Amino acid sequence: MRASPAAGEAYNRPMLNILTEPATKPVGERHPRRAPAAPGWPLVGVAWEMRRDPLPLLLRESERLGDGVFLKLGPYRATLIRDPQHIKHVFVDRAANYSKETRGYQKARLVLGEGLVTSDGELWQRQRRIATPAFHRQRIAGFANVMVEAAEATVRRWRERPGESIGLCGEMMRVTLRVALRTLLGAAAESEIETLSPAVTDVLERTNDIITNPLSLPVWVPTRRNRRFAHAIGVLDQFVYDTIARRRRELSEVHQDGPADLLSMLLEAHDDQTGVSMGDRQLRDEAVTILIAGHETTANVLVWSLYLLSQHPDSAARLRGELAEVLGDRPPVADDFGRLRFTRAVVEETMRLYPPAWMIGRAARADDVIGPFSIRKGDFVLVSPYVTHRHAGLWDKPHAFDPDRFLD
């Protein structure tokens, strides 16, 4: 589902809703205990409210109960944590004890396979070693012109429709899909965008529904929605596999000065430790991960940035002034990035208030202690950037839009 600024604080739910030393226990706390529980219904707990409107629930209970909140989610047990040291414990200090074997990741694999977002353990380590060079800062900066061209094309199309209302969510999804196709696969034909855009939308919306609805039927049941879901994945797969095959032929037949897109970089990359490179299936999983997760999250940031600027005209005027001072009448280039300090602060403050991935989950492989809270084997540990970013102990006026907090 995509962001809807008209709903004000009603936050979008992206698909992918989708830290070896324990955190120090407080003085006087001898026996770890389960985090205080959010009140819920018998058997189902807070599962229905988590599906219907999760963010107000998580924010309310964390403000009421503190840095740990126990959540009964039907047959699942979960603990929401928000303290940065507790989060570091899960993702850094004791990362080996926390796997991606959660319901969200399991369902995301229906689309993403074993890409970097969903893979775990040794596979994730190997894929990260192979993929990291493709995402070098200088290589990504080389794509700046693609992003600027896509933005300018979008604005030109808007100016050709004066007085017409524009659906901002759809427009931002479209422009970021164009950028993702160009930078990832070297493809940007209108016909390809027209074919892929509805498939991507179907995949995102159905996957989000599957993740959040524990009563959803398995995808192999031939319901109308499942058939549509399978068709959308098939459209994505055919496009990506065809592009991989074409790019392999091009790289073998023609000597190039250097790869021009991320797929070509991934094709040429290999693990320095083993010499292994990616096969077609792994390339497919990484490409679909970047295409699906990458463009949706970026679109959400753009939507919320524009919405917040519309609600704060002083910040909007200040941003326009900075653009005029740094750029004048010319389009931006990569070297301008470091000089657009307030523009960057607006984006960072937007991501603080409306982080594109509002929930990250892990499953405990063994019993553990996080701060004063006990975690049982099999329990889920949830981290919500949306909640942590509104922690009054970490931020002054945490609910306010204030880009200046990122300028120091």
Side-chain angles (χ1 to χ4, degrees):
M1 296 172 65
R2 287 158 287 173
S4 177
E9 284 297 314
Y11 188 64
N12 71 90
R13 302 176 189 175
M15 181 186 76
L16 295 176
N17 311 327
I18 316 156
L19 288 170
T20 341
E21 163 180 301
T24 304
K25 292 188 293 183
V27 175
E29 185 79 45
R30 293 186 176 182
H31 302 290
R33 55 181 174 79
R34 193 183 75 180
W41 295 93
L43 299 179
V44 299
V46 296
W48 173 246
E49 191 171 358
M50 275 291 288
R51 170 170 167 77
R52 183 180 59 85
D53 204 7
L55 291 172
L57 165 70
L58 298 176
L59 190 61
R60 180 185 72 239
E61 295 305 322
S62 65
E63 290 179 345
R64 188 174 69 90
L65 298 175
D67 289 336
V69 178
F70 181 82
L71 303 166
K72 180 173 175 53
L73 304 169
Y76 306 107
R77 301 184 307 271
T79 299
L80 172 72
I81 58 174
R82 66 171 184 171
D83 183 274
Q85 288 303 312
H86 298 167
I87 295 169
K88 178 175 178 287
H89 176 90
V90 173
F91 289 101
V92 177
D93 300 337
R94 289 273 291 164
N97 189 53
Y98 293 93
S99 76
K100 294 181 180 178
E101 292 306 313
T102 66
R103 175 182 173 83
Y105 283 110
Q106 289 168 353
K107 300 307 179 183
R109 290 188 186 106
L110 294 170
V111 179
L112 305 182
E114 293 287 351
L116 277 170
V117 167
T118 51
S119 61
D120 207 358
E122 292 184 3
L123 175 61
W124 181 84
Q125 293 283 358
R126 179 171 65 83
Q127 290 305 114
R128 189 176 187 275
R129 287 195 302 269
I130 297 174
T132 294
F135 295 93
H136 190 277
R137 184 184 185 92
Q138 290 180 341
R139 286 185 166 180
I140 299 301
F143 295 135
N145 62 321
V146 173
M147 303 172 191
V148 171
E149 290 170 3
E152 290 182 322
T154 299
V155 172
R156 282 197 302 271
R157 186 159 48 82
W158 290 351
R159 287 173 174 164
E160 294 170 356
R161 300 148 54 186
E164 184 177 335
S165 296
I166 293 171
L168 195 58
C169 297
E171 289 293 315
M172 294 300 98
M173 290 285 279
R174 183 184 180 90
V175 72
T176 55
L177 179 60
R178 181 191 296 272
V179 170
L181 286 171
R182 283 283 305 279
T183 57
L184 172 64
L185 304 174
E190 283 300 317
S191 59
E192 291 169 326
I193 294 176
E194 293 300 325
T195 299
L196 288 174
S197 184
V200 168
T201 299
D202 287 346
V203 164
L204 285 169
E205 293 182 351
R206 181 60 178 144
T207 304
N208 181 69
D209 181 66
I210 293 170
I211 289 173
T212 59
N213 183 6
L215 301 179
S216 61
L217 292 172
V219 295
W220 52 262
V221 178
T223 63
R224 181 182 63 83
R225 298 185 71 189
N226 282 346
R227 291 197 302 270
R228 184 171 177 175
F229 182 54
H231 173 75
I233 294 176
V235 169
L236 281 174
D237 282 353
Q238 181 175 351
F239 175 77
V240 172
Y241 277 122
D242 287 350
T243 305
I244 291 171
R246 184 173 68 251
R247 193 68 79 251
R248 282 196 188 277
R249 290 194 302 270
E250 293 170 352
L251 291 174
S252 63
E253 295 171 358
V254 181
H255 175 73
Q256 297 183 343
D257 294 333
D261 53 63
L262 286 172
L263 178 60
S264 298
M265 296 178 192
L266 293 175
L267 276 163
E268 294 189 334
H270 62 275
D271 187 346
D272 289 337
Q273 295 184 15
T274 65
V276 173
S277 57
M278 293 191 195
D280 283 1
R281 175 66 196 191
Q282 196 62 49
L283 283 166
R284 176 267 175 208
D285 291 350
E286 301 299 354
V288 171
T289 294
I290 297 170
L291 189 63
I292 295 290
H295 97 274
E296 187 218 17
T297 52
T298 308
N300 285 334
V301 172
L302 291 171
V303 169
W304 285 110
S305 295
L306 294 170
Y307 168 70
L308 288 168
L309 288 171
S310 75
Q311 301 301 300
H312 298 84
D314 290 347
S315 292
R318 189 172 166 188
L319 183 143
R320 292 192 188 99
E322 179 178 80
L323 295 177
E325 179 182 348
V326 174
L327 303 178
D329 295 328
R330 65 174 175 82
V333 296
D335 288 343
D336 294 319
F337 183 70
R339 301 164 61 198
L340 297 171
R341 295 182 65 245
F342 186 74
T343 303
R344 176 170 178 162
V346 166
V347 175
E348 290 179 332
E349 177 69 343
T350 298
M351 290 194 291
R352 183 188 71 83
L353 287 170
Y354 299 105
W358 58 269
M359 178 73 82
I360 306 166
R362 291 292 187 269
R365 290 189 166 103
D367 291 353
D368 196 14
V369 177
I370 302 177
F373 308 120
S374 63
I375 304 294
R376 291 169 52 185
K377 177 182 178 180
D379 283 4
F380 296 154
V381 175
L382 305 179
V383 173
S384 174
Y386 182 92
V387 170
T388 297
H389 293 174
R390 286 165 169 74
H391 192 324
L394 302 175
W395 304 94
D396 294 330
K397 300 179 180 178
H399 295 275
F401 175 70
D402 180 13
D404 280 316
R405 71 175 87 236
F406 283 99
L407 291 179
D408 185 356

